Amino acid sequence: MNLRLIGIGAGVLVILSLPLAGAIAGPDIAGQDDGKGGGLLTSLGLSRSSPAPNAARPAAGPARPGPAEQPRTASRCGPELSAPQGLEAQTCVLESAGQTWGRSYYRNTSGRALDAVLTVMGPAGRTVQIRCAVGAGDEPGLCETPRGDSAGAPEDYSAVAEFAVPDDEGRLLLRSGSNSPGPGEG
C-alpha cells in the first residue's frame, strides 16, 4: 500500500472523529462547565475550573464574553379561536424587561387577503393600535404592536385582534382577545 494514502486516510479519520469526541466529552470541551465535573478537559486535568494539583496556572487573559442572557418574556394569551370562513387566531399580551406589547398569531385559509387591527389597552387609558395585512395562505403569521414601557401590573393590560374582509365594508370575521373566555366559558 501507498504510505501517503494511509497517512491521508488516518488524518481524515482523526479530523472526522473530533466532533464525536467533543460530543462524548460534554460541555466542558467548549470551555463551559456543566457543574457535573465531567468532560474531557476536566478528566485530563486541563480545565480552568479544576486545575491539577501543583499545576502552574496560566496568566489571566481577557474574558471571553458568552452569549448575552435574554430576559424572560411573560405572556398572557387568550384561547385559540377559529372562524368558519377559515381563520384561526390567538392573541397575547407579552411583557419583558419593563416593556409590554401585543401579539396575535394567525392562520388564514380563507382564500382571500384580510385586514387585522391589533389593539393593546393598558392602565390610565393607554392604548396602542396597529393595522396588519393578513395574506391568504396556509402559512402561520403574526401581527405585533411596538413595544412600550410598562406602567402598572401585567394583568392591567389586554389585547384584542379583529380580523375583517377589506372589500366587504370591513365585515368582521373574528375577534380574538388576550383575556377572551375559552369555548364553553362565560
Side-chain angles (χ1 to χ4, degrees):
M1 285 199 124
N2 186 347
L3 289 178
R4 185 181 299 167
L5 185 60
I6 292 174
I8 292 172
V12 168
L13 183 61
V14 168
I15 290 171
L16 293 176
S17 65
L18 285 176
L20 179 61
I24 292 171
D28 197 67
I29 193 76
Q32 299 173 346
D33 185 13
D34 64 359
K36 297 179 185 171
L40 181 60
L41 294 179
T42 302
S43 65
L44 295 175
L46 300 174
S47 172
R48 280 186 255 152
S49 60
S50 57
N54 303 323
R57 292 190 170 196
R64 289 183 287 171
E69 190 171 317
Q70 297 295 321
R72 185 177 181 279
T73 300
S75 64
R76 209 175 71 257
C77 300
E80 294 178 32
L81 301 174
S82 61
Q85 296 85 355
L87 178 66
E88 300 170 359
Q90 181 178 29
T91 301
C92 306
V93 171
L94 305 164
E95 190 274 327
S96 179
Q99 295 192 309
T100 304
W101 67 101
R103 181 182 294 164
S104 187
Y105 302 95
Y106 62 82
R107 182 182 308 259
N108 177 15
T109 60
S110 70
R112 61 194 311 180
L114 302 173
D115 283 338
V117 175
L118 176 59
T119 306
V120 175
M121 295 151 291
R126 295 168 47 132
T127 302
V128 176
Q129 189 175 70
I130 190 167
R131 294 180 96 72
C132 298
V134 177
D138 194 28
E139 293 300 314
L142 64 90
C143 179
E144 184 172 279
T145 66
R147 298 174 185 213
D149 291 337
S150 299
E155 56 271 4
D156 294 338
Y157 286 85
S158 61
V160 174
E162 296 177 313
F163 296 85
V165 179
D167 60 349
D168 194 14
E169 297 181 8
R171 184 172 52 100
L172 185 63
L173 297 180
L174 182 66
R175 180 178 288 130
S176 169
S178 61
N179 56 353
S180 300
E185 295 178 22

